Amino acid sequence: AGIAHEINNPLAGILIFADIFAKDQRLSEDQRKDALTIVHETNRCADIVKRLLDFSRTSIPNKRLKSLSTIMESTLALVMHHASVNDVEIVRHYGSNLPDIEVDPAQLEQVFINLLVNACHAMSMGGRMTVVMRADLAREHIITTFEDTGQGISEENLVRIFDPFFTTKNQDLDGVAGTGLGLSVSYGIIENHGGQITVQSVVGHGTVFTVELPIASLMRAEEGAGLQTDFMPA
């Protein structure tokens, strides 16, 4: 975190002066294009530094009772563009009468976006993303699975998938750059919510991420008797 803060200061200076050069009409068009390249790459560095800070920061969730399916629907609305561009069909099944749970909606949305966008990138030639949300009353958890029909993850990479800075995205092959922090941050968020996130994958067949979150104790007594876990298409 300290290093990231120190890097931020010179980056800001580079960005300011590169932006000035890019707008300076005294420079040739080629020189202004070069300056814009500096602006673009500096912004990319700044984004990586921001991710580093997000990863290093111990973020205490601002929890409140919220419908997890509502958070999921809001997230899906944000990633529909990624899905359509990659010709990915999104199917969801939510259990009936799911109870509200104590979560930080913004942090959970961050986790869901990361999982959904990663899945879309893994299905660059099209596919299906299935989101299933159900209540496990015996374990007092809501379980959400994200199953894609993408290229899958090798066993060698699977054991490192939540490691900081590890990424399977290849800029040259996939056209997608990755810092390797998205899943690490997601892992920490779910852990801070008292839950867990796991992954299973078969190369050539797809990947399944599973997120388990505890049901709020306040709601267990109220909802437990009548709660059902039958699936219903959304």
Side-chain angles (χ1 to χ4, degrees), residues 18-171:
D19 189 58
I20 291 173
F21 289 150
K23 297 174 182 176
D24 192 337
Q25 297 301 316
R26 294 174 298 177
L27 300 179
S28 68
E29 184 177 352
D30 286 342
Q31 288 173 322
R32 290 199 300 274
K33 286 182 179 178
D34 289 342
L36 284 173
T37 299
I38 296 172
V39 170
H40 178 270
E41 293 301 301
T42 305
N43 275 321
R44 195 157 68 90
C45 287
D47 181 63
I48 293 172
V49 169
K50 180 182 180 301
R51 291 171 182 266
L52 285 168
L53 288 170
D54 288 342
F55 175 72
S56 67
R57 187 179 299 116
T58 302
S59 183
I60 300 174
N62 181 21
K63 295 182 181 179
R64 61 180 186 270
L65 284 174
K66 188 76 175 179
S67 164
L68 201 61
S69 59
T70 298
I71 297 173
M72 182 66 71
E73 284 301 300
S74 298
T75 307
L76 288 170
L78 295 174
V79 302
M80 281 301 180
H81 173 71
H82 290 277
S84 61
V85 166
N86 290 276
D87 194 23
V88 172
E89 177 191 7
I90 295 180
V91 179
R92 58 263 217 195
H93 300 286
Y94 301 147
S96 60
N97 300 320
L98 291 172
D100 291 352
I101 62 174
E102 288 183 349
V103 295
D104 183 320
Q107 289 191 2
L108 262 294
E109 187 174 281
Q110 181 180 349
V111 172
F112 293 163
I113 286 176
N114 185 63
L115 294 176
L116 291 164
V117 170
N118 282 352
C120 288
H121 290 162
M123 296 183 284
S124 58
M125 302 301 291
R128 178 184 292 109
M129 179 74 190
T130 305
V131 180
V132 177
M133 189 178 295
R134 65 183 179 89
D136 184 338
L137 295 182
R139 297 179 57 243
E140 299 182 331
H141 278 69
I142 288 184
I143 300 173
T144 306
T145 58
F146 301 79
E147 181 175 1
D148 68 57
T149 58
Q151 58 196 16
I153 305 168
S154 69
E155 187 175 345
E156 177 185 359
N157 288 337
L158 203 60
V159 296
R160 301 183 59 196
I161 200 70
F162 295 112
D163 289 354
F165 312 110
F166 177 77
T167 178
T168 60
K169 294 176 183 176
N170 186 310
Q171 175 70 54

Side-chain angles (χ1 to χ4, degrees), residues 168-218:
T168 60
K169 294 176 183 176
N170 186 310
Q171 175 70 54
D172 295 329
L173 295 179
D174 306 326
V176 178
T179 60
L181 288 173
L183 286 176
S184 297
V185 171
S186 297
Y187 187 94
I189 288 173
I190 298 302
E191 192 175 60
N192 285 342
H193 278 75
Q196 64 176 350
I197 178 171
T198 56
V199 59
Q200 294 177 309
S201 188
V202 177
V203 174
H205 291 277
T207 302
V208 180
F209 280 91
T210 301
V211 175
E212 300 186 29
L213 292 165
I215 296 173
S217 58
L218 177 65

